[in-house]
Amino acid sequence: MGTSITFKRPDGKDASGYLANAARGNAPGVVVIQEWWGLSDQIKGLCDRFALAGFDALAPDLYKGKVVPYHDTDSANKEMNSLDFMDATTQTVRGATQYLSRNGAKIGLTGFCLGGAVTIIGATKIPELAAGVVFYGIPPEQAAKPADVKIPLQAHFANKDDWCTPELVNGFEKAMKAAGKSLELFRYDAEHAFVNEQRQAVHDREAAELAWGRAIKFFANHLGGNSAA
């Protein structure tokens, strides 16, 4: 449904990504950030789904063409740890945001796992954003302080997550509340990465559909447009 595109970062360098456009020309936009596996077919599929729901969706390729197989967690961890999160967020992700906003549309940011952490960093660093939806990822506080978040956030976390643990989630929620920030937070009795239907061991269809419906409604409220769930 979508297509591979090249867009400019604020520093003038080229970046690439997967773009799926909504049927109408003046749709709001959503930038979609990958898991630690890279820009997988599953993430592209989510862009297609956002487009069907009435949003232009662009997933920037933070690994520059590298996609790690699902079973190879060591390689995924290596790729994630070698990623310059600040450069990825303030340049590549912001460039994707600016690309989608060129028609004056409001833009949201969402991401999964690694992408969830990038979404929170983006909420503090990317001025063009209007809202963000976080899926099971929180950056270290030195990368993004809750007090610096500039947009309304919705967040989805798994209670059986040993990476983005319930303790980490509780700390994030407490810090956001203490800073008086807008946060709608949901917990699911599911595993990390429960939205990823390509990973049968952790996918939870009921939780995934519930979270998806909430995310679409949240973006429709904050970005405008005649979006359909």
Side-chain angles (χ1 to χ4, degrees):
M1 180 172 169
T3 184
S4 296
I5 65 156
T6 301
F7 58 91
K8 290 288 184 191
R9 299 170 16 134
D11 62 9
K13 292 179 184 172
D14 283 338
S16 61
Y18 179 85
L19 174 69
N21 284 319
R24 58 198 186 87
N26 60 342
V30 177
V31 177
V32 182
I33 309 300
Q34 66 196 49
E35 297 180 310
W36 69 344
W37 311 107
L39 183 48
S40 63
D41 287 342
Q42 193 266 337
I43 294 294
K44 292 176 181 177
L46 288 174
C47 289
D48 294 343
R49 202 171 172 191
F50 271 118
L52 289 171
F55 302 91
D56 291 341
L58 173 56
D61 185 356
L62 302 188
Y63 287 178
K64 299 174 182 170
K66 173 94 174 172
V67 179
V68 179
Y70 285 133
H71 62 84
D72 195 350
T73 53
D74 288 345
S75 291
N77 196 40
K78 183 167 166 268
E79 289 296 329
M80 181 175 75
N81 288 333
S82 63
L83 180 69
D84 182 336
F85 274 76
M86 283 302 157
D87 178 78
T89 305
T90 61
Q91 293 294 331
T92 306
V93 179
R94 189 179 180 196
T97 304
Q98 291 172 338
Y99 179 91
L100 287 180
S101 68
R102 66 198 190 289
N103 64 356
K106 286 187 175 179
I107 309 302
L109 176 61
T110 191
F112 302 80
C113 173
L114 172 159
V118 168
T119 298
I120 295 172
I121 299 171
T124 70
K125 302 280 186 192
I126 301 175
E128 294 87 354
L129 290 172
V133 177
V134 178
F135 286 88
Y136 34 78
I138 297 173
E141 190 145 314
Q142 63 265 31
K145 291 184 177 64
D148 294 334
V149 169
K150 298 178 174 67
I151 54 174
L153 288 179
Q154 184 185 77
H156 305 272
F157 295 106
N159 291 331
K160 294 182 271 189
D161 194 328
D162 58 6
W163 183 66
C164 193
T165 63
E167 292 76 20
L168 200 60
V169 173
N170 291 341
F172 175 70
E173 182 180 35
K174 192 175 172 185
M176 286 286 286
K177 280 184 176 167
K181 300 298 177 179
S182 174
L183 176 67
E184 198 175 292
L185 191 143
F186 299 99
R187 293 172 173 83
Y188 303 83
D189 196 24
E191 308 269 351
H192 180 78
F194 65 83
V195 173
N196 190 336
E197 74 282 355
Q198 290 187 345
R199 298 185 61 211
Q200 290 303 316
V202 295
H203 178 57
D204 185 316
R205 183 175 174 80
E206 190 176 344
E209 291 306 312
L210 183 56
W212 177 260
R214 287 166 167 168
I216 293 296
K217 186 177 178 186
F218 181 81
F219 277 142
N221 288 342
H222 288 282
L223 307 181
N226 305 316
S227 302

